[in-house]
């Protein structure tokens, strides 16, 4: 095992307000960037997969530079003043095209750029100086967890090149419940039992490396249709898992909840994931 092989990561970005109100998850991500640098060295680039950048076929956004995209509405106007102008990674895009081609996976290359809030929110905490090149990959939200895992598996060799695969979504994500008390309910509301049960099941099945159950989460996990009325916020978890591989158990690095039902858990994948524990 290469001790410098960088793990793949999944972080929950939560509400857009996470960018202004970091809470426990934001504090964790602030500490995670330096922890990555200490354990593995500063990533040469980041391959970013966000629940909010999706397409009918995989698309690499290979612009030379990215800016924050404000893909939301109705929140604090201060959010629109936040910026994250990061260098792109056009050369990395060519490498990813080759890797996906070897795996028999189609991918399109676009010279357009932009980072949705699922990308720039965690990146502002992980690398606030915006000095790490970023390559966003739009994934296909209609594909199964197994297909997302296969996508991640094709990306696995990037870790040997010092590239961080960073997936972003939410470990639980039911906006109807979040907004049941209005646009902004209490961020520190007590967690509902359904959210706690789902998060516990994901952590338990991950520790057991029960891939069969994890791939069938929608049928097997408690309250899955409630916690994920649609799949897109959990599917990036499987991309990162595929990049980390089946042999190592997915490791929960952080757990917290906002608004009582929006899980903010983070996971690391790969044989060196333990080195990221605080």
């Amino acid at each position: 095992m290469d001790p410098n092989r960088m793990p793949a990561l999944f972080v929950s970005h939560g509400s857009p307000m996470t960018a202004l109100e970091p809470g426990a998850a934001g504090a964790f991500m602030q500490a995670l960037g330096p922890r990555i640098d200490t354990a593995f060295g500063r990533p040469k680039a980041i391959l970013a997969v966000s629940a909010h950048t999706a397409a009918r076929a995989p698309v690499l956004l290979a612009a030379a530079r990215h800016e924050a995209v404000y893909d939301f509405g109705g929140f604090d106007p201060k959010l629109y003043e936040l910026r994250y102008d990061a260098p792109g990674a056009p050369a990395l895009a060519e490498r990813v095209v080759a890797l996906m081609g070897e795996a028999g996976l189609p991918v399109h290359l676009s010279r357009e750029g932009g980072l949705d809030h699922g990308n720039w929110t965690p990146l502002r905490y992980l690398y606030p100086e915006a000095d790490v090149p970023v390559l966003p990959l739009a994934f296909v939200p209609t594909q199964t967890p197994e297909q997302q895992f296969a996508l991640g598996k094709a990306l696995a060799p990037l870790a040997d090149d010092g590239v961080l695969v960073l997936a972003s979504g939410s470990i639980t994500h039911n906006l109807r419940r979040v907004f049941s008390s209005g646009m902004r309910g209490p961020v520190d509301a007590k967690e509902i039992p359904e959210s706690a049960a789902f998060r516990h099941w994901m952590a338990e099945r991950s520790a057991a490396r029960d891939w069969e159950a994890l791939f069938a989460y929608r049928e097997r996990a408690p309250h899955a249709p409630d916690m994920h009325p649609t799949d897109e916020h959990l599917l990036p978890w499987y991309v990162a898992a595929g990049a980390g591989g089946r042999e190592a158990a997915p490791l929960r690095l952080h757990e917290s909840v906002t608004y009582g039902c929006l899980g903010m858990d983070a996971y690391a994948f790969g044989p060196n994931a333990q080195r990221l524990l605080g």
Side-chain angles (χ1 to χ4, degrees):
M1 179 181 70
D2 182 354
N4 294 315
R5 195 171 201 277
M6 197 170 296
L9 296 175
F10 170 85
V11 296
S12 295
H13 59 258
S15 159
M17 288 300 297
T18 302
L20 290 176
E21 301 171 347
F28 160 76
M29 288 186 280
Q30 283 176 324
L32 182 59
R35 201 178 299 162
I36 294 169
D37 292 355
T38 299
F40 303 101
R42 176 66 59 100
K44 294 179 181 177
I46 295 171
L47 188 288
V49 180
S50 165
H52 294 279
T53 297
R56 289 178 292 179
V59 180
L60 291 161
L61 302 184
R65 191 153 193 85
H66 299 289
E67 295 180 355
V69 175
Y70 308 103
D71 54 331
F72 47 78
F75 291 92
D76 191 322
K78 292 180 181 177
L79 280 171
Y80 300 93
E81 300 173 11
L82 300 179
R83 297 191 63 85
Y84 195 82
D85 301 330
L92 176 61
E94 301 295 341
R95 167 77 165 139
V96 174
V97 168
L99 288 174
M100 292 182 65
E102 291 170 7
L105 299 175
V107 63
H108 299 276
L109 194 62
S110 171
R111 297 300 174 184
E112 296 183 4
L115 301 172
D116 68 64
H117 79 274
N119 280 327
W120 64 258
T121 296
L123 286 172
R124 288 186 84 251
Y125 290 121
L126 287 164
Y127 294 108
E129 299 301 318
D131 54 356
V132 180
V134 182
L135 176 64
L137 170 59
F139 76 113
V140 182
T142 56
Q143 291 184 341
T144 65
E146 292 95 330
Q147 289 173 306
Q148 307 298 344
F149 190 93
L151 171 59
K153 184 178 179 181
L155 303 173
L158 294 177
D160 296 320
D161 302 331
V163 175
L164 172 64
V165 174
L166 176 66
S168 171
S170 285
I171 205 70
T172 57
H173 190 263
N174 184 329
L175 294 185
R176 179 185 59 80
R177 283 187 174 273
V178 172
F179 297 147
S180 63
S181 300
M183 192 64 183
R184 292 209 53 207
V187 69
D188 59 349
K190 181 180 178 181
E191 184 177 18
I192 63 174
E194 294 86 347
S195 173
F198 184 91
R199 292 193 308 109
H200 175 74
W201 184 91
M202 285 292 295
E204 183 182 59
R205 291 301 88 210
S206 292
R209 288 190 299 164
D210 189 350
W211 295 109
E212 180 182 356
L214 288 164
F215 288 149
Y217 92 91
R218 199 156 194 85
E219 293 76 36
R220 298 197 185 185
H223 313 292
D226 185 5
M227 291 299 93
H228 287 282
T230 55
D231 289 310
E232 78 288 334
H233 271 75
L234 189 60
L235 291 178
W237 188 96
Y238 294 94
V239 179
R246 284 176 174 264
E247 286 68 33
L251 178 65
R252 183 161 66 173
L253 298 177
H254 171 79
E255 61 164 316
S256 64
V257 176
T258 56
Y259 305 103
C261 60
L262 197 58
M264 300 296 293
D265 298 7
Y267 281 78
F269 308 87
N272 295 326
Q274 292 278 350
R275 291 174 58 187
L276 292 177
L277 286 174

